[in-house]
Amino acid sequence: MPKIINFHEIHDKDWFEDTLDVIQDLYEVVPFYEIQNFYNGKVKTKNIAHLTVDDGHISTYSIIYPVLKKRGLTASIFVSPKIIEEESNFWFSESCDYDKEKLIFCIGEMLNIKPENLMGIYPRSLMKLLRLDQIWKIIRLYQKKFNSPAKISQYVNLNQLLEMEKSGIFEIGAHTLNHPILSNEKDATAEFEITKSITRLGELLHRNITTFAYPNGSVNLDFGPREIEFLKKSGVKYAYSFEFKNLSPNNNLLAIPRYGLYHGNKDFIRNKLRYGALWEPVKKQFLNNEDKYRRKLQKKFRL
Ligand SMILES: [Zn+2]
C-alpha cells in the first residue's frame, strides 16, 4: 500500500543510502503529484512511496539533496522561514546536547517543581508539554546559569533553500515558525505560528504554499481540529502528521499519516516498512512510546 516516509536530520550518508536501497527495493518512489493523483483516484500502482524531510536541517542540503539528485528521486521538505531567515535554531536543537540533570534543574526552577519530583524524567519529553515562551525561558536560564553560549544555526540558509527549490527535486512546505507543540499554545499563538509560516515561506519562494507538516505530529496530542481549521483558512491542501499507517483514499488530507525512519540497519528498515505496526519490536520500542510517556507526565504534573 502507498506510504509517506519521513526523515529528519541525517548524520550518516551510508545509512541514508542503505535505507533508500531498501525503500527503492520495496516501492516505486514517486514525486508529490503522484500522491495528489492517488487521492484523486488516478494512480494505477498502489506500491508507491513518497519521501518527506522535516525541519530543514543542514543535512537536507549537504546529504539528502545530492543523494536524491544522483538517484533521480524527489521529496517534500518542510521548513520554517523564520529559522532560515534568522539563521537561528529550533528549541530542541539549541538544547540537544544539554546536560540532562542540569536541564531538569532549570525546568524545576521554571515550573516551580521540587527537584526530587523530577528525578529520572526525560527533559525533552517534559519540554514537549510546555509553551514556547516557557521552553525558551528554560533554555535562557540554562545558558546563563551554566555559561552555555547560543549555538550557530544547524539549518539550511536562504541561498541553500532557494537552490534546492530551483533544482525541481523538492516540494517545499511550511513547518511553523518556531516548532511549538501547537496544542500547548493559546489560539492566537497557534494561528500565528501556522499562518505566518505559510505566508512568509510563500513570499520567499514567490508561490503559494499548499503543504504543511505539524511539528512532532501526533494526532490529538500535538495538534487537533483547531490547527486543521487554521490550515484550511491559510489555503493548505495537504498536511502531514505522524501515524504509523499506510495511505488510504479516505484519509483526512490535513492529517496524512507518515512512517518515520531515523535509525536501524537494512533488515530493521525492511521489517518496519513491510510489517509496520504489526511488527512487535516496532510496537514495543518506537510506536508512540513517547506519546504515552508524555500523557503520563501531563497527568503527574498537571500540565
Ligand atoms: Zn519538525
Side-chain angles (χ1 to χ4, degrees):
M1 283 300 282
K3 275 184 179 55
I4 307 287
I5 292 171
N6 180 250
F7 298 98
H8 280 94
E9 52 194 77
I10 304 287
H11 296 290
D12 180 352
K13 179 173 171 283
D14 293 339
W15 177 85
F16 186 56
E17 296 260 22
D18 283 352
T19 300
L20 286 181
D21 286 345
V22 174
I23 294 169
Q24 291 192 273
D25 193 29
L26 294 173
Y27 307 99
E28 182 192 346
V29 176
V30 297
F32 170 62
Y33 68 80
E34 289 286 6
I35 299 304
Q36 292 175 296
N37 287 341
F38 168 77
Y39 284 123
N40 292 330
K42 288 184 200 150
V43 162
K44 288 166 258 147
T45 170
K46 295 269 200 259
N47 206 25
I48 57 172
H50 179 59
L51 309 177
T52 65
V53 186
D54 285 14
D55 297 343
H57 185 262
I58 185 63
S59 56
T60 316
Y61 180 79
S62 62
I63 297 179
I64 295 174
Y65 173 36
V67 169
L68 294 183
K69 199 171 173 180
K70 181 182 75 181
R71 290 178 181 239
L73 299 177
T74 59
S76 292
I77 60 174
F78 300 96
V79 298
S80 154
K82 175 175 183 272
I83 294 292
I84 289 172
E85 282 191 291
E86 289 181 358
E87 300 193 7
S88 55
N89 284 313
F90 291 125
W91 62 270
F92 53 87
S93 44
E94 190 61 42
S95 60
C96 64
D97 61 349
Y98 283 5
D99 178 84
K100 196 180 148 207
E101 303 302 321
K102 290 178 183 169
L103 187 53
I104 282 286
F105 175 84
C106 294
I107 293 173
E109 191 157 311
M110 238 296 297
L111 296 178
N112 226 349
I113 300 174
K114 286 184 188 144
E116 58 263 37
N117 292 333
L118 288 169
M119 291 248 288
I121 299 285
Y122 288 109
R124 176 75 65 96
S125 302
L126 189 52
M127 286 165 92
K128 284 184 185 173
L129 295 169
L130 305 178
R131 298 186 313 268
L132 273 174
D133 62 321
Q134 295 173 303
I135 292 173
W136 276 104
K137 262 187 205 159
I138 292 165
I139 292 174
R140 300 290 177 231
L141 181 63
Y142 186 104
Q143 289 174 335
K144 211 174 140 195
K145 237 184 167 70
F146 303 109
N147 219 356
S148 173
K151 293 189 177 67
I152 58 158
S153 176
Q154 298 179 27
Y155 297 92
V156 298
N157 64 31
L158 187 54
N159 284 337
Q160 290 162 338
L161 182 78
L162 294 175
E163 184 189 330
M164 288 196 289
E165 155 89 345
K166 230 172 121 187
S167 74
I169 290 174
F170 297 101
E171 165 68 28
I172 303 177
H175 196 44
T176 71
L177 298 173
N178 294 294
H179 214 285
I181 301 298
L182 286 162
S183 53
N184 297 348
E185 301 292 340
K186 296 193 173 104
D187 291 351
T189 309
E191 182 168 20
F192 183 75
E193 283 283 337
I194 290 173
T195 54
K196 187 74 183 169
S197 75
I198 293 160
T199 52
R200 187 63 193 142
L201 186 63
E203 285 161 9
L204 293 179
L205 300 178
H206 306 291
R207 62 175 181 81
N208 286 336
I209 300 299
T210 57
T211 61
F212 181 90
Y214 299 98
N216 225 55
S218 288
V219 184
N220 292 328
L221 183 62
D222 298 317
F223 72 97
R226 178 185 69 172
E227 284 70 27
I228 290 178
E229 279 311 306
F230 293 149
L231 286 173
K232 270 186 202 162
K233 275 202 275 177
S234 305
V236 164
K237 305 280 182 242
Y238 299 87
Y240 298 93
S241 66
F242 281 107
E243 257 191 303
F244 222 73
K245 284 183 183 166
N246 294 329
L247 300 189
S248 142
N250 309 322
N251 287 145
N252 178 348
L253 296 187
L254 294 177
I256 298 174
R258 291 191 293 179
Y259 276 61
L261 296 181
Y262 311 119
H263 48 77
N265 63 22
K266 279 184 160 187
D267 286 340
F268 177 87
I269 298 287
R270 188 177 294 272
N271 284 327
K272 190 171 180 181
L273 287 171
R274 263 201 190 143
Y275 306 118
L278 298 172
W279 193 42
E280 236 11 77
V282 169
K283 225 194 266 181
K284 263 196 204 130
Q285 290 173 53
F286 303 105
L287 190 63
N288 294 333
N289 226 13
E290 201 207 9
D291 290 4
K292 278 185 206 145
Y293 181 66
R294 279 169 60 198
R295 286 184 206 277
K296 233 196 304 188
L297 292 181
Q298 208 165 24
K299 254 194 201 158
K300 184 173 173 180
F301 297 114
R302 298 205 180 96
L303 292 166

